[in-house]
Amino acid sequence: MDVYFGFVVLEGILAVAIISTNLLVCATVYLHKELRNVTNYLIVCLAVADLGVGTLAVPFSVVLSMEYVLCFYTCLFLACFPLVTTQFSILLLLVIAINAHLRIKLPNSYAIHVKTRWMMVTVVICWMLSLLIGLSPMMVWNRLQNYMETSNKTLVVSFPSERAAFVIVGHDIPYGDFLPQVLPGRQNFSDSEIHTGHLGRCSFTSIFSSEYLVYFISLTCTLLPLGTMLGIYVDLFRVVRNHFQSQALWPVKRKELQMARTLFLLTGIFCLCWMPLHVTYCVQLLCPSCQRYESLDRLAVLLSHLNSLANPLVYALRKRDFGLALRSVVLRHVLHWPKLKAGCCPSPKVHPQPEAREHQLPHMAKDGGEH
């Protein structure tokens, strides 16, 4: 019980930190107009996905880790939602990598080929694909029959009291399979209640098979996009080395290269945070008789959620303009310390675009000649 309590406390603290930091990221881009570009818009979309992790995925994962007695369809929804947010983050990281690659390889025609509205359409497509992939077990690839058989063997005999805090039963009410009824304090169930209410211990492994988690989620939907990102960044750095190794980088190119390194770091942190959880899935598939350690499983879940907190920290530490703007939002709008804004915080303003500067040059020359 102490392990459960510690896990819940850590998840609660992590959820609050994830929500607050990613809200700051969204507010920073909204309040500072100089940060409004395609790359930062994609970063805001990634922050919104992380907000979904902090507000819903973390509480759902707590319920799944506690293995409460739940209706199958309720448990299925709780298990599918973290898959949606995770897949959306992966696809967004892939889009961000492609965008960085285009900025480096097409410096002169990037603004022509990449429009903000097209990028927003791409984000919507990523969201739809994430819903399709994450909610696919609602239609196929679930373990309803196994969920029922396991329930018949375990729930009627005995069940730990600390995990029977509440029970969700879905019969005797309209649309009971999807809008379940909460019946607190029940620990003994008849066969008819189990099969009619679809009751069982709710966890990732009871809902999804190990084959689905490893072959579809880990290999196809996670490692394949991450491998594509790795190839994109390798080619990007190769292009930079071949074209600019013999001469000093232009300030604009140096800035783009710094951004590419930051985005590559985001991808690396994502791999470090999520790989332990996928390794546990592989161990369960390849060695089903091996002993499982619940503390290690919960640690892997915590580490995967930590990725949603690491993203805004990387922006603040690696991007100087973003870090100063983030500090400005904290001091002015959160702590209300206006006296410190002059010394350490940039003022929100709109920087002229390169095209605008080119149009201004003739006017400036003309003005200079008149004087």
Side-chain angles (χ1 to χ4, degrees):
M1 192 64 182
D2 294 337
V3 177
Y4 302 148
F5 179 76
F7 175 74
V8 172
V9 170
L10 289 177
E11 285 280 52
I13 296 173
L14 188 58
V16 172
I18 290 172
I19 294 172
S20 58
T21 53
N22 285 283
L23 279 177
L24 280 175
V25 170
C26 298
T28 299
V29 176
Y30 175 76
L31 295 173
H32 288 262
K33 296 181 180 180
E34 72 273 14
L35 297 178
R36 297 181 186 177
N37 54 55
V38 173
T39 301
N40 286 335
Y41 285 151
L42 292 175
I43 289 176
V44 168
C45 293
L46 187 60
V48 172
D50 291 333
L51 280 174
V53 173
T55 54
L56 294 176
V58 170
F60 290 173
S61 296
V62 169
V63 175
L64 292 170
S65 299
M66 296 298 103
E67 297 186 1
Y68 287 121
V69 183
L70 297 178
C71 169
F72 174 80
Y73 297 101
T74 303
C75 182
L76 185 60
F77 175 77
L78 297 180
C80 286
F81 187 82
L83 297 181
V84 174
T85 55
T86 303
Q87 194 60 43
F88 186 52
S89 298
I90 293 173
L91 294 178
L92 274 181
L93 288 174
L94 180 59
V95 173
I96 290 172
I98 296 173
N99 178 67
H101 192 268
L102 292 176
R103 289 179 72 94
I104 295 292
K105 294 199 71 173
L106 304 175
N108 298 323
S109 59
Y110 171 81
I112 300 176
H113 292 88
V114 180
K115 302 292 185 180
T116 302
R117 61 178 180 273
W118 296 349
M119 197 59 68
M120 292 300 103
V121 171
T122 304
V123 170
V124 172
I125 294 175
C126 290
W127 179 246
M128 294 176 64
L129 286 176
S130 302
L131 288 174
L132 182 62
I133 293 172
L135 300 180
S136 59
M138 290 282 188
M139 300 170 285
V140 293
W141 297 332
N142 59 59
R143 303 180 66 187
L144 174 60
Q145 191 61 34
N146 184 270
Y147 194 82
M148 303 286 295
E149 293 175 356
T150 305
S151 303
N152 192 29
K153 295 178 181 178
T154 59
L155 293 181
V156 178
V157 179
S158 63
F159 196 76
S161 58
E162 64 270 15
R163 297 188 187 180
F166 61 87
V167 176
I168 297 182
V169 181
H171 61 281
D172 296 333
I173 59 174
Y175 307 101
D177 289 341
F178 298 98
L179 300 175
Q181 177 184 2
V182 179
L183 299 178
R186 294 285 303 280
Q187 298 185 31
N188 299 319
F189 312 98
S190 64
D191 290 341
S192 60
E193 284 182 321
I194 291 173
H195 286 277
T196 307
H198 306 298
L199 298 180
R201 290 189 180 185
C202 182
S203 67
F204 251 85
T205 54
S206 65
I207 291 293
F208 307 132
S209 65
S210 298
E211 292 81 4
Y212 168 76
L213 292 175
V214 172
Y215 297 128
F216 184 70
I217 297 298
S218 297
L219 296 181
T220 305
C221 298
T222 302
L223 290 183
L224 185 60
L226 290 178
T228 305
M229 288 181 233
L230 179 61
I232 290 174
Y233 283 117
V234 168
D235 182 68
L236 187 150
F237 293 128
R238 180 189 61 81
V239 169
V240 171
R241 185 190 63 181
N242 292 340
H243 287 77
F244 304 107
Q245 190 175 20
S246 59
Q247 56 184 342
L249 288 177
W250 299 342
V252 176
K253 291 299 179 184
R254 191 180 299 277
K255 183 179 179 180
E256 297 298 337
L257 181 59
Q258 181 70 16
M259 170 61 73
R261 289 172 177 170
T262 300
L263 299 176
F264 181 71
L265 180 61
L266 287 179
T267 305
I269 292 175
F270 184 91
C271 294
L272 290 177
C273 291
W274 280 96
M275 282 305 105
L277 189 61
H278 291 291
V279 168
T280 59
Y281 297 154
C282 294
V283 170
Q284 294 173 17
L285 175 63
L286 300 177
C287 185
S289 60
C290 294
Q291 183 179 359
R292 291 182 57 189
Y293 297 93
E294 292 187 356
S295 58
L296 292 180
D297 293 342
R298 287 177 172 79
L299 181 61
V301 173
L302 279 170
L303 192 60
S304 66
H305 294 157
L306 187 63
N307 176 75
S308 297
L309 178 62
N311 289 337
L313 297 180
V314 171
Y315 312 148
L317 295 177
R318 292 282 301 178
K319 298 182 64 180
R320 185 176 181 275
D321 57 343
F322 204 102
L324 290 176
L326 191 65
R327 189 189 308 174
S328 170
V329 173
V330 172
L331 293 179
R332 294 176 186 175
H333 301 279
V334 178
L335 300 179
H336 301 288
W337 290 351
K339 294 181 179 180
L340 299 179
K341 67 180 180 181
C344 63
C345 303
S347 58
K349 59 183 179 180
V350 181
H351 292 299
Q353 300 298 323
E355 295 81 358
R357 291 179 180 175
E358 292 176 0
H359 290 297
Q360 289 175 358
L361 287 177
H363 299 285
M364 293 174 62
K366 181 178 180 181
D367 295 339
E370 293 176 356
H371 290 290

